[in-house]
Amino acid sequence: EVQLVESGGGLVQPGGSLRLSCAASGFTFSSYWMSWVRQSPGRGLEWVANINRDGREKYYVDSVEGRFTISRDNAKNSLSLQMNSLGVEDTAIYYCARDTVGASYYWGQGTLVTVSS
Amino acid sequence: AIRLTQSPTSFSASVGDRVTITCRASQVLTNNVAWYQQKPGKAPKLLIYTASTLNTGVPSRFSGSASGTDFTLTISSLQSEDFATYYCQQYNTYPRTFGQGTKVEVK
């Protein structure tokens, strides 16, 4: 069974940093592109970033480019999102997702990031 | 970035109704469009990809189609478990983008 479990969310002050992790199991992690998608409270979905199978290709939405870094460790079946210079607009539930042919087939349960003073 | 505009943004329907949700893209896409269903407090669930391919395990009452820059999700006979919010997404170009969502509520 495919499982994606996010962790690392919490309360952080504006300007602070946070690192999210996603533990993957039930599939060959190194064979899939992976994504982060976020959802602000009561709002819609926003694609944040994705990464290719070997970690060499990374893409970001403009609003996080230069502040967030997506990475993966295929040996540990783990996906990460390093978030720096956080602003209140980054407050959201962050989902880890496994992509197939571009669409996000499997999603984790999400981890809440709250940016507030 | 490609903008996706869903219509309507919300509506009320009854069990058994035929429901159609439209997603209009700001520019021509290939059929790299997906549809997701999300229920309150839950992660989205992939329903359809490449505009019309049903994901494994998704009931056949769901279908998708494409015509130019318009993409459509149809539920042929709405069931009680289908009351939810639906999102389209394009994965044709970066950044990937989602529509704003369509909430289907009980009439």
Side-chain angles (χ1 to χ4, degrees):
Chain A
E1 178 192 5
V2 172
Q3 283 200 318
L4 298 168
V5 180
E6 301 94 337
S7 60
L11 175 64
V12 61
Q13 292 188 338
S17 298
L18 212 55
R19 186 179 183 87
L20 305 183
S21 296
C22 172
S25 60
F27 64 100
T28 304
F29 181 71
S30 59
S31 296
Y32 293 90
W33 286 66
M34 298 293 296
S35 290
W36 287 100
V37 177
R38 67 184 178 184
Q39 186 168 34
S40 301
R43 303 287 297 277
L45 300 169
E46 181 181 35
W47 177 86
V48 174
N50 72 353
I51 188 168
N52 78 330
R53 298 173 189 86
D54 64 9
R56 296 183 185 183
E57 284 185 59
K58 305 174 185 182
Y59 299 90
Y60 301 91
V61 68
D62 287 352
S63 60
V64 309
E65 182 87 55
R67 300 188 300 123
F68 289 13
T69 302
I70 189 172
S71 61
R72 66 191 297 160
D73 185 337
N74 286 341
K76 295 183 178 179
N77 293 340
S78 178
L79 177 73
S80 297
L81 186 68
Q82 176 66 43
M83 305 186 295
N84 299 330
S85 303
L86 285 161
V88 294
E89 68 278 7
D90 297 314
T91 294
I93 297 172
Y94 284 74
Y95 295 101
C96 156
R98 191 195 90 174
D99 291 352
T100 303
V101 296
S104 293
Y105 266 61
Y106 291 100
W107 298 63
Q109 83 290 349
T111 186
L112 177 62
V113 172
T114 303
V115 184
S116 175
S117 54
Chain B
I2 295 176
R3 182 176 178 84
L4 300 179
T5 303
Q6 289 183 229
S7 60
T9 54
S10 68
F11 65 96
S12 300
S14 300
V15 171
D17 285 353
R18 181 180 180 86
V19 164
T20 298
I21 299 169
T22 298
C23 173
R24 175 163 290 173
S26 59
Q27 58 186 269
V28 173
L29 299 174
T30 60
N31 283 346
N32 289 331
V33 169
W35 288 94
Y36 301 88
Q37 175 194 68
Q38 187 179 33
K39 296 182 179 180
K42 299 293 186 182
K45 171 188 171 184
L46 177 66
L47 298 176
I48 287 170
Y49 58 96
T50 56
S52 60
T53 304
L54 212 60
N55 192 16
T56 304
V58 174
S60 58
R61 62 181 180 273
F62 291 91
S63 64
S65 63
S67 177
T69 57
D70 287 350
F71 299 84
T72 301
L73 172 70
T74 300
I75 309 173
S76 60
S77 178
L78 195 69
Q79 300 302 300
S80 57
E81 60 267 31
D82 301 335
F83 292 101
T85 300
Y86 294 85
Y87 295 92
C88 59
Q89 181 204 25
Q90 67 81 20
Y91 50 93
N92 191 63
T93 62
Y94 286 105
R96 311 301 198 212
T97 48
F98 288 90
Q100 79 277 24
T102 295
K103 187 174 184 179
V104 180
E105 298 176 297
V106 177
K107 182 180 285 185

